[in-house]
Amino acid sequence: MLAAPTRHRSRRSVRCAAAALLGGVAAITAAPPATAAGAVLRVGPGKPFATPCAAFARAADGDVVEIDGSVTYTGDVCGIHRDRLTVRGVNGRPRIDAGGRNAMGKGTWVVVGDGVVVDNVEMYGARVADRNGAALRLEGTGFTLRRSYLHDNENGILSGADPASDVLVETSEFARNGHGDGYSHNLYIGNVRSLTFRHNFSHDANVGHDLKSRARTNTITYNRFSSLPAGQAGSGRPSYEIDLPNAGTAVVVGNVVQQPAGSSNAGMLAYGTEGASNPGTDLYVVNNTFLNDDTARGTFVLVGSGVTTPVRLQNNVFAGVGTLVTQAGAVQRTNHRAASPAFADRARYDLTPTAGSAMVGTGSAPGTTAGGVALTPVAHYRHVASAAARPAAGTIDIGAYELAGSTR
């Protein structure tokens, strides 16, 4: 089992965690016959298994658990111990409500098995005694989440440290996760080998970050990080929209990154601010659209003092007030800075540039990372939590969208 991730406050402070409280696990229904590897275990009304956790307990490595999406499964908390298990919602998206319970003092589903895939589920209500409960607590090696909605937990995803683990999160939504003390986040990925985070919508974290990752390599592409206006129902007060505290190799391409007024932290993208301890200190911020709605303060890209490799900022839109980048030697190429750039419809997040604006046809070819990874954007974020191909239109436009593209 992996060690629990180190907990850090989004602002500089320290607090001691309370002792973890072991929670109850779901009761198992009458046991059906044992399943063969690769079998499909069906969950729901009239199915062989009444709850997901009952199916997990009987599954073999490589099985598929299909969960009927017509009902809510309340208090169904447990560990997932099988390797290469695929868990997917069918006939709609099943709702997994922690219902005041937790597994192992850690959260709703504790993923111990390797290579687990979770597809098309909604999870909420994860809370534990130490205020660090997660809808999905990752302790195995390798994990994939797609087409899911994790909201109103203390953490959406929380992973331990595993230098052999690759985590993929795509086409999913994260909202209002965080206890409110700055230690818990929409997602908190520990020191794994890699995180690929693409085509997601992460918003309104409760004081914590919309995304925090200590992964050695981060590929963050075609996502939207944003929040509702302060005071509006469902609005959050996130700290950093993206926090990569231990540096590493990071590719941040084609994202919409919006900071609301009254944010808990004025920074938007933070890199290496807790020590550049990961191998590699190369950050590539290319063809993103940054929106700062705080009219009094802001830092678009905050770089820790231990990062000596010049970060690259290219073809980005920086809208609003604030410091563009804190690293004196940062490489800046063909970015567009304006208080109110000429977007098609800023209020509705149609961030395509208007014809004739300074963003159209004025970008430069991004080339590759030092390791040879192509940086030219090939897609753009499409709401909600999906992506579409970015149209090719001669010289690249600046920002996350081309004039010929569409946000929806």
Side-chain angles (χ1 to χ4, degrees), residues 310-311 327-331:
V311 305
Q327 187 190 56
V331 176

Side-chain angles (χ1 to χ4, degrees), residues 34-166:
T35 59
V40 177
L41 288 71
R42 293 182 171 86
V43 176
K47 304 294 195 299
F49 298 91
T51 66
C53 287
F56 300 158
R58 293 304 307 273
D61 292 350
D63 280 353
V64 176
V65 175
E66 289 190 343
I67 308 171
D68 191 287
S70 65
V71 295
T72 299
Y73 303 87
T74 301
D76 195 50
V77 301
C78 59
I80 299 176
H81 295 272
R82 294 302 184 185
D83 296 339
R84 304 181 309 282
L85 194 71
T86 296
V87 181
R88 65 187 178 214
V90 295
N91 303 320
R93 179 180 284 168
R95 298 170 300 283
I96 315 299
D97 178 3
R101 306 183 71 188
N102 68 79
M104 309 177 206
K106 298 177 181 180
T108 303
W109 291 349
V110 181
V111 182
V112 182
D114 298 340
V116 171
V117 175
V118 175
D119 182 10
N120 191 37
V121 299
E122 178 179 350
M123 303 182 72
Y124 53 94
R127 294 174 179 81
V128 300
D130 71 355
R131 304 176 180 178
N132 209 28
L136 292 166
R137 176 66 176 264
L138 309 185
E139 298 188 347
T141 298
F143 176 78
T144 296
L145 178 75
R146 59 173 60 100
R147 300 191 306 155
S148 295
Y149 180 29
L150 277 54
H151 62 95
D152 299 288
N153 305 283
E154 288 175 328
N155 291 279
I157 295 178
L158 175 62
S159 89
D162 184 347
S165 186
D166 300 304

Side-chain angles (χ1 to χ4, degrees), residues 163-234:
S165 186
D166 300 304
V167 176
L168 168 63
V169 179
E170 61 185 0
T171 57
S172 294
E173 181 177 357
F174 301 83
R176 300 181 301 279
N177 299 290
H179 181 78
D181 55 7
Y183 290 96
S184 45
H185 314 279
N186 270 354
L187 300 93
Y188 185 175
I189 306 299
N191 188 227
V192 299
R193 180 165 58 193
S194 73
L195 168 68
T196 300
F197 191 78
R198 62 192 182 199
H199 314 164
N200 302 295
F201 180 32
S202 185
H203 61 102
D204 294 292
N206 185 19
V207 180
H209 308 313
D210 285 333
L211 170 62
K212 180 167 187 169
S213 174
R214 299 184 185 276
R216 298 181 179 192
T217 298
N218 289 282
T219 304
I220 301 170
T221 54
Y222 320 121
N223 306 284
R224 174 171 151 183
F225 303 91
S226 68
S227 294
L228 295 169
Q232 186 170 326

Side-chain angles (χ1 to χ4, degrees), residues 191-348:
N191 188 227
V192 299
R193 180 165 58 193
S194 73
L195 168 68
T196 300
F197 191 78
R198 62 192 182 199
H199 314 164
N200 302 295
F201 180 32
S202 185
H203 61 102
D204 294 292
N206 185 19
V207 180
H209 308 313
D210 285 333
L211 170 62
K212 180 167 187 169
S213 174
R214 299 184 185 276
R216 298 181 179 192
T217 298
N218 289 282
T219 304
I220 301 170
T221 54
Y222 320 121
N223 306 284
R224 174 171 151 183
F225 303 91
S226 68
S227 294
L228 295 169
Q232 186 170 326
S235 66
R237 294 180 57 245
S239 293
Y240 300 132
E241 278 62 49
I242 304 172
D243 184 25
L244 311 175
N246 300 128
T249 295
V251 171
V252 181
V253 173
N255 302 280
V256 174
V257 185
Q258 178 258 353
Q259 176 169 258
S263 175
S264 296
N265 193 311
M268 300 174 69
L269 167 57
Y271 179 77
T273 57
E274 295 181 22
S277 56
N278 278 334
T281 54
D282 47 329
L283 169 64
Y284 307 88
V285 183
V286 177
N287 278 100
N288 302 281
T289 296
F290 288 84
L291 310 170
N292 184 16
D293 288 336
D294 192 322
T295 59
R297 58 182 187 144
T299 300
F300 292 98
V301 181
L302 178 63
V303 183
S305 60
V307 177
T308 56
T309 304
V311 305
R312 191 200 300 182
L313 311 179
Q314 187 167 354
N315 296 344
N316 302 286
V317 175
F318 297 103
V321 304
T323 301
L324 196 153
V325 59
T326 59
Q327 187 190 56
V331 176
Q332 303 181 50
R333 299 173 183 162
T334 56
N335 298 294
H336 179 67
R337 180 76 187 271
S340 300
F343 297 126
D345 190 340
R346 166 67 178 84
R348 298 181 63 245

